[in-house]
Structure formats: structure tokens, C-alpha cells
Amino acid sequence: MTATAPLAAAAIRPSQAARRPPTFYRDPVSCLQSVFGALLADAGHDPVAALGARWEFRHIPGDVRPEEFYYPERSPGDVAATLMPYHPVRSAWSVPTTADPLGELAELIDGGVLPIAAVDNYHLPFRPAFHDVHAAHLVLVFGVDRTRGLVLVSDTMPPAFSGAIRAEDFLDAWGSSNPADDQDAFFSDAGIGRRYLTLDIGAPWPADDPAALAAALRANDTDLHAEPSPDTGQWTGLAGLRRYVEHVVEASRAGDGDVLKSVYTFGWGQQAMCSLHGELLRGRGHAWAVPALREAGRQVEAAAHTWSGLRLTAAHGWPDPVAAADDMHRHGTRLCRRYEAAATAASKAVTALAQPPR
């Protein structure tokens, strides 16, 4: 792999150097939570408090797209509102509308907005997939150096990179057709189309205190235990999770490898949300000396890790789904039980948060 060395700060215009974004990464998160977390941190907010407040299950049959950043949206077009409904954060996808796409990104950056570009890892010199594997990914763009023909990008997903790449490489990645790739059955075969995502972080920002967290936990609990509405076409809550597990197990036994292939992609976003929620509860439970909240965090994190068994079994088993069916059933059953135990623990934590400190 050929890597491009980061551009020295002295070579960047002062306004751009000041906007070099912070990084945010946790092992279970995808590039979606990573770039959102970086922008939240850049705005002075705790990424875990915002990204970890919501915990849900949501599946939209037929919607799963082969992109690392896929997440089923409550309302189409605003994934940030789905991930962070308790915070004034919104997002929108755009594509360049002029013949100078880099100029559009530069104008956004000069105006204080750091765009999140969809890219194909195949064309990025700092990714291990460079000139090897096609895969849809996200990077944060924080500068355009037209004189040197460079674009400044930040990507905290391993192996992590923050610096300059050639504008030609960026444009190739940003405009790639991301063709189907036998080496990556999960994130290829989805055109990039020079899409970019912008995040609007508003105000007032909610307090990070027991009352605010208790309110979020109550809302989460209501949604987890509600029966999914047939009008939405979405499988939600604990009932939706059970239906989803039954669906993938039945598909596996019927030899439907495409359904198993989608489990790895779909499950990443669910696992990331679950993991960040568990980290938030465990961390605040320790800081606020609320043992029930710490325990709830531990239970939610256990549920998050249980996604690994289901996702990896599907990833290895989709070429022969019938052979993987029993393991899919075992991992799926365990996942449902972990979610139910974690939801019970989170309900108990709400009661504990309402009690005055000793």
C-alpha cells in the first residue's frame, strides 16, 4: 500500500488549519458514527452523550444498501435525526450543482461547514483497500488546496488518517461507480455519485444530567416495548427484533444467501448504536454513583457484542445459507434474550435515576 504523508500545518491556509477536526472512534462504530462524533466534538459536545442517548431496533425490509454508512432512517433523508432524536442535530445529503465540485466543498468549508463525502476506498491511498477492494465509505473533508491540487481529509476508522491526498485521487473516490467486488460482498455495488452529507448542529443543547438521561431512557423503553405500526413498513422495538431474527433464520433455511449477506451490513449500525448507548449508561452510572445505571450499561454492551456472532455467521455463511441456519438461529435467539435483559435493566435504571442522591 502506498500512503500519502499528512500535509504540514504550515502549508495550509490559517482558516483551514484551525478547522482540522478532532477524531472520534470506538471499535464497534462505523464511519457514520465516527464522522458524526468528530463533528460533535468539534462543536464542543460529547459525542457519546449525543450518539449514545438513543437505543432502538429498526429494520426496513428491502432498504438495506451495500454501504458502510447504511442506517435505517425513521424519516427518509435525515439519518442524524434518527440517530440523535433528543438533540438538535439534523443532516442532509447533497450533490454538487456546478461544474466545479471541489469549489463547492471549498465554499462550504470557508463558511464553517465541514462536508462528509461518500467515497470508494479503492481510490484512497491511505486505505488498506487502495487499488484492491471497492467499498462505500465516508470521510470528513476539511480543506481544499487548489494551488497544490490537494484535498484535506480526516478518517478515524483504522488505520486512521488526517492529511492531504491528491485531488485526482479524491475525485476518483468521490465519483466512483463502486462496482460489484467479489472481495467485498457487503459494501460494493453501490454508486458513490459525488454525494456529500452535511450536519447541522443546533441549539439549545440538552443538559447532560440524570433528568435528561432518564427522559431519554423512558422514551427508548416506550418504543422498545411498542408493537410496530404496520403503516410504516418498519420492524421496530423488541417485537421487530424477534420478527427480524425469524426472517433471517427462515431465509437461511430456504437458501436465500442475499438476506444473510445483508445481515452484516444492517447489523453494523444497530451494533454501533447499542454499544454507544451501553458506554453512555455505564460511564454516567459510574460518574453519578448509580449502580443500576452501570449495570444497565453493562447489559446493553453485552447485547451489542452479541451482534458480532450473528453478523459474522451471516458474513461467512451467506454462500451456503442452509449450512449456516442452525448457527443463525442460535446467535439470533441469544441476541433477542440479551436485548430483553438489557431493556429490563434500563427500565430499572430509570427508577434509580429518579431517586435523590445519597
Side-chain angles (χ1 to χ4, degrees), residues 133-207:
V133 180
H134 291 277
H137 184 57
L138 294 178
V139 297
L140 197 57
V141 182
F142 65 95
V144 177
D145 188 329
R146 305 304 292 270
T147 302
R148 297 186 176 206
L150 301 170
V151 177
L152 308 174
V153 300
S154 175
D155 181 6
T156 56
M157 297 297 287
F161 176 85
S162 181
I165 63 173
R166 297 188 313 157
E168 299 97 306
D169 291 328
F170 176 79
L171 288 170
D172 285 344
W174 192 27
S176 173
S177 64
N178 188 27
D181 192 324
D182 291 340
Q183 297 182 87
D184 192 327
F186 313 107
F187 307 123
S188 65
D189 198 20
I192 304 301
R194 290 190 175 169
R195 290 172 288 159
Y196 66 89
L197 189 63
T198 52
L199 200 65
D200 179 17
I201 302 175
W205 199 254

Side-chain angles (χ1 to χ4, degrees), residues 48-58 71 74 81-87 211-227 236-239 273-274 276-278 280-281 293 296 300 339-340 342-350 353:
V48 174
L51 288 165
R54 179 62 171 170
W55 181 41
E56 65 171 359
F57 175 82
R58 182 179 305 279
Y71 193 88
R74 179 190 297 262
T82 298
L83 289 172
M84 296 173 278
Y86 311 129
H87 292 76
L213 184 54
L217 290 177
R218 283 192 292 269
N220 293 344
D221 185 72
T222 297
D223 288 346
L224 282 169
H225 288 94
E227 287 297 321
T236 56
L238 298 176
M273 168 177 276
C274 197
L276 289 168
H277 187 63
L280 175 64
L281 301 193
L293 192 59
V300 175
Y339 261 68
E340 290 162 0
T344 298
S347 297
K348 293 179 179 178
V350 173
L353 281 170

Side-chain angles (χ1 to χ4, degrees), residues 1-2 120-134 166 168-169 172 181 183:
M1 180 184 72
T2 302
D120 179 357
N121 281 334
Y122 182 91
H123 299 285
L124 296 178
F126 56 86
R127 296 298 308 176
F130 183 53
H131 285 179
D132 184 24
V133 180
H134 291 277
R166 297 188 313 157
E168 299 97 306
D169 291 328
D172 285 344
D181 192 324
Q183 297 182 87

Side-chain angles (χ1 to χ4, degrees), residues 235-353:
W235 301 351
T236 56
L238 298 176
L241 174 61
R242 289 189 291 269
R243 183 176 181 182
Y244 175 74
V245 167
E246 291 172 359
H247 168 66
V248 297
V249 172
E250 289 173 0
S252 185
R253 288 177 174 155
D256 190 339
D258 287 339
V259 169
L260 261 66
K261 191 187 300 184
S262 72
V263 171
Y264 187 79
T265 304
F266 164 75
W268 198 353
Q270 301 298 306
Q271 184 173 29
M273 168 177 276
C274 197
S275 176
L276 289 168
H277 187 63
E279 179 182 345
L280 175 64
L281 301 193
R282 180 172 48 80
R284 296 304 184 268
H286 177 76
W288 300 337
V290 182
L293 192 59
R294 287 201 306 270
E295 173 61 15
R298 189 188 71 79
Q299 294 273 12
V300 175
E301 286 179 315
H305 288 299
T306 308
W307 271 107
S308 295
L310 190 71
R311 292 181 64 219
L312 292 175
T313 298
H316 289 286
W318 72 266
D320 188 0
V322 175
D326 286 346
D327 284 337
M328 291 295 294
H329 179 266
R330 177 167 55 87
H331 288 297
T333 300
R334 181 177 296 139
L335 181 65
C336 291
R337 289 173 178 168
R338 288 278 173 83
Y339 261 68
E340 290 162 0
T344 298
S347 297
K348 293 179 179 178
V350 173
T351 302
L353 281 170

Side-chain angles (χ1 to χ4, degrees), residues 11-25:
I12 308 170
R13 290 184 299 171
S15 63
Q16 291 176 324
R19 290 293 292 162
R20 184 182 292 271
T23 60
F24 175 76
Y25 178 72

